[in-house]
PDB file of all heavy atoms in Angstrom:
ATOM      1  N   MET A1222       0.463  15.084  20.275  1.00 98.00           N
ATOM      2  CA  MET A1222       0.638  13.667  20.605  1.00 98.00           C
ATOM      3  C   MET A1222       2.062  13.219  20.868  1.00 98.00           C
ATOM      4  O   MET A1222       2.276  12.181  21.657  1.00 98.00           O
ATOM      5  CB  MET A1222       0.109  12.803  19.321  1.00 98.00           C
ATOM      6  CG  MET A1222       0.249  11.355  19.410  1.00 98.00           C
ATOM      7  SD  MET A1222      -0.761  10.529  18.189  1.00 98.00           S
ATOM      8  CE  MET A1222      -0.153   8.826  18.622  1.00 98.00           C
ATOM      9  N   HIS A1259       1.330  12.084  12.129  1.00 98.00           N
ATOM     10  CA  HIS A1259       1.732  13.473  12.387  1.00 98.00           C
ATOM     11  C   HIS A1259       2.583  13.601  13.666  1.00 98.00           C
ATOM     12  O   HIS A1259       3.289  14.613  13.798  1.00 98.00           O
ATOM     13  CB  HIS A1259       0.344  14.375  12.552  1.00 98.00           C
ATOM     14  CG  HIS A1259      -0.561  13.811  13.713  1.00 98.00           C
ATOM     15  ND1 HIS A1259      -1.418  12.829  13.522  1.00 98.00           N
ATOM     16  CD2 HIS A1259      -0.801  14.382  14.924  1.00 98.00           C
ATOM     17  CE1 HIS A1259      -2.018  12.653  14.575  1.00 98.00           C
ATOM     18  NE2 HIS A1259      -1.779  13.528  15.495  1.00 98.00           N
ATOM     19  N   GLY A1307       0.241   8.877   7.859  1.00 98.00           N
ATOM     20  CA  GLY A1307      -0.186  10.313   7.872  1.00 98.00           C
ATOM     21  C   GLY A1307      -1.637  10.381   7.591  1.00 98.00           C
ATOM     22  O   GLY A1307      -2.360  11.059   8.329  1.00 98.00           O
ATOM     23  N   LEU A1309      -4.796   9.383   8.205  1.00 98.00           N
ATOM     24  CA  LEU A1309      -5.230   8.689   9.527  1.00 98.00           C
ATOM     25  C   LEU A1309      -5.953   7.333   9.249  1.00 98.00           C
ATOM     26  O   LEU A1309      -6.823   7.373   8.274  1.00 98.00           O
ATOM     27  CB  LEU A1309      -6.106   9.605  10.321  1.00 98.00           C
ATOM     28  CG  LEU A1309      -5.265  10.908  10.766  1.00 98.00           C
ATOM     29  CD1 LEU A1309      -6.211  11.803  11.615  1.00 98.00           C
ATOM     30  CD2 LEU A1309      -4.040  10.493  11.725  1.00 98.00           C
ATOM     31  N   ASP A1347      -6.879   9.201  18.484  1.00 98.00           N
ATOM     32  CA  ASP A1347      -8.428   9.182  18.264  1.00 98.00           C
ATOM     33  C   ASP A1347      -8.766   9.292  16.758  1.00 98.00           C
ATOM     34  O   ASP A1347      -9.808   8.732  16.305  1.00 98.00           O
ATOM     35  CB  ASP A1347      -8.961  10.500  18.954  1.00 98.00           C
ATOM     36  CG  ASP A1347      -8.591  10.574  20.437  1.00 98.00           C
ATOM     37  OD1 ASP A1347      -8.905   9.567  21.116  1.00 98.00           O
ATOM     38  OD2 ASP A1347      -8.068  11.519  20.813  1.00 98.00           O
ATOM     39  N   GLY A1348      -8.017  10.113  15.970  1.00 98.00           N
ATOM     40  CA  GLY A1348      -8.331  10.325  14.688  1.00 98.00           C
ATOM     41  C   GLY A1348      -8.346   9.091  13.850  1.00 98.00           C
ATOM     42  O   GLY A1348      -9.221   8.726  12.976  1.00 98.00           O
ATOM     43  N   GLU A1352     -11.602   7.171  11.650  1.00 98.00           N
ATOM     44  CA  GLU A1352     -11.676   6.841  10.189  1.00 98.00           C
ATOM     45  C   GLU A1352     -12.430   5.545  10.021  1.00 98.00           C
ATOM     46  O   GLU A1352     -12.112   4.560  10.656  1.00 98.00           O
ATOM     47  CB  GLU A1352     -10.249   6.772   9.672  1.00 98.00           C
ATOM     48  CG  GLU A1352      -9.607   8.304   9.514  1.00 98.00           C
ATOM     49  CD  GLU A1352     -10.258   9.187   8.529  1.00 98.00           C
ATOM     50  OE1 GLU A1352     -11.048   8.629   7.677  1.00 98.00           O
ATOM     51  OE2 GLU A1352      -9.929  10.256   8.483  1.00 98.00           O
ATOM     52  N   ASN A1377      -6.257  10.581  24.017  1.00 98.00           N
ATOM     53  CA  ASN A1377      -6.106  11.909  24.729  1.00 98.00           C
ATOM     54  C   ASN A1377      -7.403  12.747  24.587  1.00 98.00           C
ATOM     55  O   ASN A1377      -7.496  13.882  25.004  1.00 98.00           O
ATOM     56  CB  ASN A1377      -4.889  12.718  24.253  1.00 98.00           C
ATOM     57  CG  ASN A1377      -4.837  13.092  22.759  1.00 98.00           C
ATOM     58  OD1 ASN A1377      -6.079  13.137  22.117  1.00 98.00           O
ATOM     59  ND2 ASN A1377      -3.755  13.081  22.187  1.00 98.00           N
ATOM     60  N   VAL A1379      -8.583  14.441  22.423  1.00 97.00           N
ATOM     61  CA  VAL A1379      -8.672  15.721  21.809  1.00 97.00           C
ATOM     62  C   VAL A1379      -8.236  15.521  20.282  1.00 97.00           C
ATOM     63  O   VAL A1379      -7.211  14.669  20.092  1.00 97.00           O
ATOM     64  CB  VAL A1379      -7.602  16.668  22.378  1.00 97.00           C
ATOM     65  CG1 VAL A1379      -7.535  18.043  21.625  1.00 97.00           C
ATOM     66  CG2 VAL A1379      -8.060  17.005  23.886  1.00 97.00           C
ATOM     67  N   HIS A1452      -2.218  20.780  19.555  1.00 97.00           N
ATOM     68  CA  HIS A1452      -2.284  19.534  18.658  1.00 97.00           C
ATOM     69  C   HIS A1452      -1.208  19.645  17.501  1.00 97.00           C
ATOM     70  O   HIS A1452      -0.381  18.939  17.218  1.00 97.00           O
ATOM     71  CB  HIS A1452      -3.588  19.293  18.061  1.00 97.00           C
ATOM     72  CG  HIS A1452      -3.577  18.554  16.692  1.00 97.00           C
ATOM     73  ND1 HIS A1452      -3.578  17.261  16.741  1.00 97.00           N
ATOM     74  CD2 HIS A1452      -3.548  18.928  15.347  1.00 97.00           C
ATOM     75  CE1 HIS A1452      -3.523  16.778  15.464  1.00 97.00           C
ATOM     76  NE2 HIS A1452      -3.518  17.858  14.606  1.00 97.00           N
TER      77      HIS A1452
HETATM   78  C1  TPP B2996      -7.434  10.954   6.559  1.00 67.59           C
HETATM   79  C2  TPP B2996      -6.914  12.111   7.318  1.00 67.59           C
HETATM   80  N1  TPP B2996      -7.782  13.140   7.557  1.00 67.59           N
HETATM   81  C3  TPP B2996      -7.387  14.329   8.101  1.00 67.59           C
HETATM   82  C4  TPP B2996      -6.066  14.468   8.459  1.00 67.59           C
HETATM   83  C5  TPP B2996      -5.647  15.732   9.249  1.00 67.59           C
HETATM   84  N2  TPP B2996      -5.309  15.575  10.636  1.00 67.59           N
HETATM   85  C6  TPP B2996      -4.081  15.221  11.002  1.00 67.59           C
HETATM   86  S1  TPP B2996      -4.040  14.955  12.683  1.00 67.59           S
HETATM   87  C7  TPP B2996      -5.731  15.207  12.817  1.00 67.59           C
HETATM   88  C8  TPP B2996      -6.401  15.113  14.181  1.00 67.59           C
HETATM   89  C9  TPP B2996      -6.066  13.829  14.770  1.00 67.59           C
HETATM   90  O1  TPP B2996      -6.492  13.575  16.094  1.00 67.59           O
HETATM   91  P1  TPP B2996      -5.786  12.626  17.073  1.00 67.59           P
HETATM   92  O2  TPP B2996      -5.666  11.352  16.378  1.00 67.59           O
HETATM   93  O3  TPP B2996      -6.464  12.617  18.327  1.00 67.59           O
HETATM   94  O4  TPP B2996      -4.354  13.263  17.142  1.00 67.59           O
HETATM   95  P2  TPP B2996      -3.836  14.183  18.284  1.00 67.59           P
HETATM   96  O5  TPP B2996      -4.854  15.343  18.327  1.00 67.59           O
HETATM   97  O6  TPP B2996      -3.926  13.458  19.553  1.00 67.59           O
HETATM   98  O7  TPP B2996      -2.564  14.599  17.890  1.00 67.59           O
HETATM   99  C10 TPP B2996      -6.331  15.390  11.637  1.00 67.59           C
HETATM  100  C11 TPP B2996      -7.711  15.740  11.419  1.00 67.59           C
HETATM  101  C12 TPP B2996      -5.229  13.313   8.237  1.00 67.59           C
HETATM  102  N3  TPP B2996      -3.865  13.412   8.521  1.00 67.59           N
HETATM  103  N4  TPP B2996      -5.712  12.300   7.633  1.00 67.59           N
END
Side-chain angles (χ1 to χ4, degrees):
M1222 180 164 172
H1259 58 283
L1309 296 173
D1347 302 306
E1352 289 291 348
N1377 62 26
V1379 175
H1452 159 86

